[in-house]
Amino acid sequence: MKAMNNIIEKAKDRHSRIVLCEGEDKRVLHAAFEVQTRGIASIILVGNSANIQETADAADIPLDDFDVIDPDVSPLTGDLAEHYFLLRQKKGITREQALVETRKPINFANLMVAKGMAEGSVAGATHTTKDVVRSAIQIIGLDKKATIVSSFFLMMLCQPFHTLKGGLIFSDCGLVIDPTDEELANIALAAARSAESLLMVEPKIAMLSFSTSGSAQHESVSKVVRASQLVKQQVPNIAIDEDVQLDAAIVADVAKKKLPNSNVKGQSNVLIFPNLEAGNIGYKLAERIGGAVAIGPLLQGLAKPANDLSRGCSNDDIVNVIAVTVMQNELSVSNSQSQK
């Protein structure tokens, strides 16, 4: 996977700190050990220190080079709890409740990111997506360029039989069920930034539909067109095709026939699905039938990186998501500087 290897190699140069709150899971510890050994990132483990040590001993993983932080006894807990209180006091949270919430490893980890003690967090091996996303939104918050948190998959096409090779961004395949025009436009813009930061390419966006350039009339087609126009209003020179069928989005010869005036010309690297139903089916078809490697779902639209794992994730999945999280931090820093 050349694109993934590029991400990993670039991550090594960033010397980032990534915080993991599921160190009691042996997959997480194995991945953390590999990430740190390969120099992809420095890992902070948050959780019950005795349980983490027990898991590490059973897995024969040395913890000598890790920062292990137990929220129940850490000297950081008080300051982080105060920060949590200030974030959530308008929602009725008391200082006592803030302290209870801060002691939850997933919240403690995201508070470390919010306070600049780590560059990103990764969770989901044992937590649900709902818990991961809620904690990230409440504590880290949205990027000022975003109005919604969405997800994407980094799809790797690297097999000899793949006629289309390299990395693609698929969005949104895991979070937003039925986006509005504005939300779909925001998803497309966030996915374009993800392509720039992770694939290191100029984004070429296909707004997928069952219609190509008005070949069918339906409100779902009109929504895609309106979203495309909103994207172009914000980034006038971006390469984007309005309502385009998948074949015209990724096959140059088909694009010539169906969409001769295309800006993308069948060379899309960012595929935006009209709703979660289409996106979820689409990425699983590409993975299970097409032989693509799906990395994600990854979150976009947050002020700082926090990513979700599948609870069925492998060691390699975790390593890859950590590397992506490192590279997303560069994008979040760039966005923050551009907003000053």
Side-chain angles (χ1 to χ4, degrees):
M1 295 190 294
K2 183 178 179 181
M4 192 65 237
N5 290 338
N6 287 341
I7 290 171
I8 288 172
E9 289 305 310
K10 287 185 176 295
K12 291 178 181 179
D13 297 332
R14 302 312 188 262
H15 307 292
S16 295
R17 300 156 298 175
I18 302 299
V19 58
L20 309 178
C21 64
E22 297 166 326
E24 298 171 34
D25 186 296
K26 66 179 182 180
R27 296 168 299 172
V28 173
L29 283 186
H30 278 293
F33 183 75
E34 180 178 346
V35 164
Q36 199 144 286
T37 300
R38 295 172 63 183
I40 297 170
S42 295
I43 298 298
I44 303 167
L45 298 171
V46 170
N48 183 285
S49 56
N51 292 342
I52 292 173
Q53 186 65 60
E54 183 179 350
T55 303
D57 290 343
D60 196 26
I61 297 172
L63 294 179
D64 299 346
D65 294 331
F66 291 101
D67 286 331
V68 180
I69 301 177
D70 189 331
D72 286 336
V73 298
S74 172
L76 299 174
T77 302
D79 287 342
L80 294 181
E82 181 65 17
H83 185 70
Y84 187 90
F85 168 71
L86 294 174
L87 288 173
R88 304 292 295 162
Q89 62 180 326
K90 291 183 180 178
K91 299 294 183 180
I93 292 289
T94 66
R95 279 190 165 86
E96 291 75 15
Q97 291 170 328
L99 182 59
V100 171
E101 290 298 315
T102 299
R103 284 177 172 152
K104 295 178 180 178
I106 190 169
N107 291 337
F108 193 100
N110 284 328
L111 283 162
M112 289 189 72
V113 175
K115 293 288 286 181
M117 300 175 185
E119 279 67 56
S121 69
V122 174
T126 60
H127 289 82
T128 66
T129 293
K130 180 180 178 181
D131 288 339
V132 173
V133 175
R134 179 176 58 221
S135 177
I137 291 174
Q138 289 180 351
I139 295 171
I140 295 174
L142 269 64
D143 170 16
K144 291 182 180 179
K145 288 186 176 180
T147 59
I148 189 173
V149 172
S150 57
S151 74
F152 68 97
F153 278 86
L154 188 56
M155 305 296 292
M156 298 296 182
L157 302 166
C158 308
Q159 296 298 324
F161 58 81
H162 285 139
T163 55
L164 178 65
K165 293 189 183 294
L168 296 173
I169 300 291
F170 280 26
S171 190
D172 182 350
C173 306
L175 203 58
V176 185
I177 296 174
D178 188 18
T180 64
D181 311 357
E182 293 81 5
E183 290 171 339
L184 194 60
N186 199 268
I187 289 168
L189 288 165
R193 293 192 289 270
S194 294
E196 289 176 329
S197 64
L198 298 176
L199 300 178
M200 284 74 85
V201 296
E202 176 190 354
K204 297 181 179 180
I205 305 172
M207 302 294 284
L208 296 178
S209 175
F210 60 85
S211 164
T212 295
S213 191
S215 64
Q217 302 297 314
H218 192 274
E219 171 54 25
S220 62
V221 177
S222 299
K223 180 180 80 169
V224 170
V225 172
R226 291 193 298 268
S228 304
Q229 292 169 349
L230 288 172
V231 171
K232 287 189 283 189
Q233 287 175 16
Q234 295 191 50
V235 188
N237 295 323
I238 198 165
I240 184 171
D241 281 344
E242 299 177 6
D243 67 309
V244 61
Q245 291 165 292
L246 179 63
D247 54 354
I250 61 173
V251 181
D253 288 342
V254 175
K256 287 179 183 178
K257 296 174 183 177
K258 289 189 173 183
L259 199 58
N261 296 321
S262 167
N263 292 319
V264 176
K265 303 185 185 306
Q267 298 175 342
S268 304
N269 49 34
V270 177
L271 302 183
I272 304 301
F273 293 85
N275 54 43
L276 184 59
E277 187 173 34
N280 194 264
I281 292 169
Y283 101 79
K284 288 181 177 177
L285 277 172
E287 181 183 29
R288 300 299 179 180
I289 296 179
V293 174
I295 299 170
L298 303 159
L299 301 181
Q300 56 188 10
L302 291 166
K304 296 181 179 181
N307 276 315
D308 185 28
L309 297 164
S310 164
R311 279 176 285 173
C313 60
S314 67
N315 298 352
D316 287 344
D317 293 333
I318 302 170
V319 170
N320 288 338
V321 171
I322 290 172
V324 167
T325 305
V326 170
M327 295 306 297
Q328 283 180 308
N329 178 63
E330 188 169 282
L331 176 62
S332 69
V333 170
S334 175
N335 287 342
S336 175
Q337 291 174 345
S338 69
Q339 291 159 11
K340 289 181 179 179

